[in-house]
Amino acid sequence: ELESALVQQLISSNPSVAANRLKAMPDKERDNVLRDADIPEENQAAFAKLVREQLLEKDQARTLAKKAADLMSEEDGYSKASAYLDRIQATPTERAKSAGDAIESKFQKISHQRKITREDFDAMRKWVGVQTPGGVGATTGKALGDALRGPHKMEFSEAADLARHYHESSRDDDVLVEFLGSKQARKNKPQALIVAEKISDPVRRQEILESLK
């Protein structure tokens, strides 16, 4: 926590010293220090540069995504997360990871307050479509699976209807594959098997059907 606070201050006053402190740490500790840092808007670009220079490639997108997820849980989260990703000039990989983590954070918060609605999903799909167009289907399917949990969870039939709707409108099998890969789908096998028949790709359809048996 102390190192995180120090690096947080040094990013704005002396980035080279911050980099030197990070270089002296083991990889895992370096990652923890940067993920725990609370970085104001004016220093986020410098923070992202430090992340890309000092962390292992496998850890970079995850650390940058955490900030997007934190912002998404705030009021007006979509615009704040978008501004952050633009500010740090996020790469396609970073945007994809950030979009997935941010939506998970936002929907977890919603599900603790009320039931997630189709309007929530429509807004989510619009935002994800800007950040990572190819990830809309998979993000939707995972979010539908996650919506089956929590104090204000959706009924499986409700989530299944939405999954079919988004699949029919987009012809994106990722919606159904991700949704049916959730633990809750396996707890509702009879209904899940019916939904699985809608998967267009015969190979993926068979894989999901086998996993549900």
Side-chain angles (χ1 to χ4, degrees):
E1 291 178 0
L2 174 61
E3 287 293 344
S4 183
L6 285 170
V7 168
Q8 181 179 318
Q9 294 299 318
L10 288 169
I11 286 174
S12 59
S13 61
N14 202 329
S16 62
V17 173
N20 288 335
R21 292 192 72 87
L22 289 166
K23 286 177 183 177
M25 302 175 193
D27 291 330
K28 185 175 181 180
E29 186 176 341
R30 196 181 305 174
D31 183 31
N32 289 337
V33 165
L34 287 173
R35 278 194 290 122
D36 289 341
D38 184 15
I39 309 298
E41 290 183 6
E42 62 270 20
N43 296 333
Q44 286 171 354
F47 167 76
K49 183 174 184 292
L50 206 58
V51 167
R52 293 167 185 140
E53 292 175 348
Q54 298 299 324
L55 296 189
L56 297 175
E57 185 176 356
K58 68 181 182 66
D59 296 326
Q60 293 172 16
R62 180 183 62 182
T63 297
L64 293 174
K66 182 179 183 299
K67 306 304 175 188
D70 290 344
L71 290 168
M72 184 61 85
S73 65
E74 298 178 8
E75 187 177 352
D76 200 19
Y78 284 124
S79 62
K80 288 183 179 179
S82 294
Y84 162 73
L85 294 173
D86 291 343
R87 201 175 292 121
I88 67 171
Q89 297 183 333
T91 66
T93 298
E94 292 164 357
R95 284 184 184 273
K97 176 61 174 171
S98 295
D101 288 6
I103 293 304
E104 183 176 1
S105 174
K106 184 177 184 67
F107 276 35
Q108 281 181 352
K109 182 176 180 179
I110 293 174
S111 68
H112 278 79
Q113 299 171 338
R114 58 172 173 80
K115 184 182 289 189
I116 298 171
T117 66
R118 176 173 169 174
E119 288 71 26
D120 294 319
F121 279 99
D122 287 345
M124 174 273 285
R125 285 171 58 82
K126 182 178 180 180
W127 184 78
V128 174
V130 173
Q131 303 304 325
T132 176
V136 177
T139 303
T140 301
K142 184 178 184 307
L144 283 165
D146 290 344
L148 298 172
R149 301 177 297 170
H152 298 285
K153 63 183 180 181
M154 298 180 75
E155 296 298 326
F156 186 84
S157 58
E158 295 176 296
D161 285 345
L162 281 177
R164 282 191 289 258
H165 164 72
Y166 291 124
H167 177 256
E168 288 170 3
S169 63
S170 65
R171 309 312 302 172
D172 187 347
D173 280 345
D174 286 347
V175 177
L176 300 184
V177 170
E178 286 294 327
F179 172 58
L180 295 172
S182 68
K183 291 182 179 179
Q184 296 303 315
R186 290 191 288 276
K187 293 180 180 179
N188 292 271
K189 287 185 180 181
Q191 294 181 72
L193 287 168
I194 294 173
V195 177
E197 293 291 350
K198 298 292 185 179
I199 298 174
S200 305
D201 186 321
V203 175
R204 299 182 82 186
R205 180 172 63 245
Q206 189 59 38
E207 287 176 350
I208 292 297
L209 287 171
E210 289 294 331
S211 72
L212 290 170
K213 291 180 179 178

